[in-house]
Amino acid sequence: MSRTTMLSFYTFILLIFGLASVLDAKSSSGNSVLVILDPARRPDYSIFFNGLQEKGYDLTFRAPKDEAPALIEDDIPSFAHVIFFASDKHFAKDITPQTLVQLLSSNTNLLIALGQKQNLLTSLAPEFSLILPPPGSSLVSYFPERKEPNTVVPIEVPSSSKILSSTSSPVWFSGVPFALGNNPLVFPILTAPAEGFAADSEGSTADALADAADKGGEGLWAGSQLATVAGFQALGGARAAWVGGPELFSDEFAKKEISKGVKSGNQQAAADIAAWTFQENLVLRIDSTTHHLVNTSFPKEHYTTNDIVEFVAQISRYNPSKDKWEPFSGIDDLQLEFTMLDPHIRTALPAVRGSSGKYAVTFRVPDRHGVFKFVVDYKRKGWTHLHSSTTVPVVPPRHDGYPRFLSAAWPYYVGAISTSVGFFLFSALYLAGDARETNLKKTKGGKAQ
């Protein structure tokens, strides 16, 4: 085999490996996806599904009432991600609210699109602190003026969003808006326009807004307080995205123009929502944590009160473009707590300059013995929650560990020394005076004789 042929062969092999790396799934938690969808509606979302497959995701489709493939087998989830685009009223026996919660607890990500019909998904939504409007309601907006129905609403992508690409065009939305409760784990990804409101989808008259104020006893469902897409970041790392309607992912809305010559941002928004849900973006992890005395490098089994301790954490972020974890120093509000029931010390844990991904802080151990914990608990909307807890005892100094003399005790030292000196002088003077009197008596007695 000639040299040129060998080089061509190696080039071909490298090209194959390069293409394979490009086609690898970008998710940090797996590439298997189960799509629960009516088979007749599968062509309606071909752009979205093809985009996932181009990334390397392995899509498996299942009708809502089919029994296979199973969501969970032997208490182990069968897929890394599950997409619900079905608005059917009845599902298979293994699709229940309890099953979906179990999937989320097992680090399986969920992408759920709601429908106007009441089903198990709408009954599960309140468990995620989503407050749905009365049944049959949809988002209605009369602005801006357009030829589309009032229930097909263009929504601007917020420029401050960390999940959606702010450079994309407005997104077409048709579906159910919802309010968010007080659960700190849920947050809005895409909110309704300020002039939008929730009303009966069949009521397109100007009186629909007034009717919505009293319907269902929930008050006025209007404005940007409503969300059309919301994210739920579980403490275990799994994610769930709730979308008011599957039409946001449809080919129709992806191809639909916002204005003449301006393509909608639905295709990009759908890809961004799926990327966040499938743990491609904003994914962090704590690689390691260490603690030790200053000027040492090995952790101790216990620390003494008033020791000077250094705590170090290594944090990395998942890079979907390279499909690997990389050191990350972009957190500027990380904190460390040194706790025993309550935090005794809460201090900033800043990034170390020149050491990528390294965060360190030095502090003095409190003057109290007991069982303490080094706790890092970082929770920010959209980001993976970081939690680390390391238990370490704090003991008082040994009997020979105290200083010989305490500066605070000098008044007592002076008092004790002055008392001892005074007693010595008094005793010496008293004894010397007694001996002098005895000598004088003896002298006087000798003269008298």
Side-chain angles (χ1 to χ4, degrees):
M1 186 178 293
S2 64
R3 182 183 181 88
T4 304
T5 306
M6 288 292 295
L7 289 175
S8 300
F9 176 75
Y10 287 138
T11 303
F12 176 75
I13 294 296
L14 291 175
L15 180 61
I16 292 298
F17 278 105
L19 290 175
S21 64
V22 171
L23 293 177
D24 280 345
K26 304 300 181 181
S27 173
S28 61
S29 59
N31 62 352
S32 58
V33 182
L34 176 64
V35 182
I36 299 178
L37 173 67
D38 187 349
R41 298 203 59 189
R42 178 176 173 180
D44 297 342
Y45 308 97
S46 60
I47 295 177
F48 174 65
F49 292 144
N50 290 338
L52 293 179
Q53 289 176 334
E54 289 174 0
K55 284 186 174 182
Y57 286 103
D58 183 15
L59 301 185
T60 302
F61 292 87
R62 169 184 166 180
K65 297 181 181 180
D66 288 350
E67 299 291 341
L71 290 174
I72 299 176
E73 292 184 0
D74 300 328
D75 292 332
I76 300 176
S78 303
F79 299 89
H81 321 283
V82 179
I83 299 176
F84 285 90
F85 278 0
S87 58
D88 299 52
K89 190 172 184 179
H90 301 287
F91 290 84
K93 294 181 180 180
D94 66 330
I95 302 178
T96 63
Q98 293 79 8
T99 303
L100 301 185
V101 172
Q102 183 180 354
L103 287 174
L104 202 63
S105 302
S106 302
N107 203 28
T108 297
N109 305 303
L110 305 178
L111 177 55
I112 302 174
L114 297 172
Q116 293 183 348
K117 297 180 181 180
Q118 286 187 310
N119 54 21
L120 66 89
L121 298 179
T122 58
S123 63
L124 179 64
E127 302 299 327
F128 289 79
S129 199
L130 271 62
I131 307 172
L132 301 180
S137 299
S138 61
L139 181 64
V140 177
S141 177
Y142 296 95
F143 302 95
E145 186 177 353
R146 59 194 182 279
K147 62 181 180 179
E148 287 79 9
N150 296 325
T151 54
V152 179
V153 182
I155 302 178
E156 293 284 347
V157 177
S159 58
S160 60
S161 176
K162 296 181 180 179
I163 298 175
L164 303 179
S165 301
S166 58
T167 57
S168 62
S169 303
V171 176
W172 289 109
F173 176 82
S174 178
V176 182
F178 41 83
L180 302 182
N182 296 325
N183 193 327
L185 303 180
V186 67
F187 63 95
I189 296 177
L190 186 65
T191 58
E195 64 275 4
F197 59 94
D200 193 329
S201 57
E202 298 179 356
S204 57
T205 64
D207 295 333
L209 177 60
D211 296 339
D214 299 323
K215 187 176 181 180
E218 296 288 350
L220 182 62
W221 297 83
S224 56
Q225 65 177 349
L226 298 177
T228 57
V229 182
F232 183 89
Q233 176 70 67
L235 295 177
R239 293 174 173 178
W242 292 83
V243 186
E247 288 78 9
L248 186 147
F249 302 89
S250 66
D251 295 355
E252 178 187 357
F253 281 6
K255 298 176 182 178
K256 190 178 184 63
E257 294 183 344
I258 294 293
S259 59
K260 188 175 181 180
V262 179
K263 187 180 178 181
S264 71
N266 284 68
Q267 183 176 353
Q268 182 62 47
D272 292 340
I273 294 171
W276 179 85
T277 307
F278 295 166
Q279 297 191 40
E280 294 182 27
N281 299 331
L282 306 182
V283 183
L284 302 175
R285 73 179 183 186
I286 298 178
D287 295 325
S288 64
T289 59
T290 58
H291 52 85
H292 52 81
L293 292 175
V294 173
N295 299 326
T296 64
S297 57
F298 298 99
K300 295 185 63 176
E301 294 183 355
H302 60 79
Y303 292 101
T304 306
T305 56
N306 295 317
D307 277 349
I308 306 299
V309 176
E310 182 180 19
F311 180 85
V312 180
Q314 293 285 345
I315 297 178
S316 60
R317 178 180 180 179
Y318 181 71
N319 186 342
S321 61
K322 298 181 180 179
D323 193 21
K324 68 177 185 179
W325 293 89
E326 297 179 344
F328 181 65
S329 299
I331 305 177
D332 56 3
D333 55 352
L334 192 62
Q335 290 184 334
L336 170 69
E337 293 182 349
F338 196 59
T339 67
M340 185 175 64
L341 298 180
D342 295 322
H344 283 59
I345 293 176
R346 181 183 288 120
T347 181
L349 186 59
V352 178
R353 292 184 179 181
S355 298
S356 183
K358 182 178 180 180
Y359 297 77
V361 66
T362 301
F363 65 94
R364 182 185 296 273
V365 175
D367 191 9
R368 183 174 180 181
H369 60 275
V371 179
F372 283 79
K373 292 181 179 180
F374 295 98
V375 178
V376 176
D377 193 15
Y378 183 79
K379 297 178 182 178
R380 297 297 181 271
K381 296 184 184 300
W383 292 89
T384 307
H385 295 162
L386 297 178
H387 182 80
S388 172
S389 179
T390 305
T391 302
V392 60
V394 175
V395 299
R398 292 165 50 90
H399 66 281
D400 57 351
Y402 292 95
R404 179 68 65 181
F405 295 101
L406 301 177
S407 58
W410 274 112
Y412 303 98
Y413 297 155
V414 173
I417 293 173
S418 61
T419 301
S420 301
V421 172
F423 177 75
F424 176 77
L425 293 176
F426 173 78
S427 300
L429 293 175
Y430 179 81
L431 293 175
D434 185 51
R436 192 176 302 153
E437 290 179 0
T438 303
N439 293 332
L440 288 175
K441 289 180 179 180
K442 289 182 178 179
T443 304
K444 291 180 179 180
K447 290 181 179 181
Q449 292 177 359

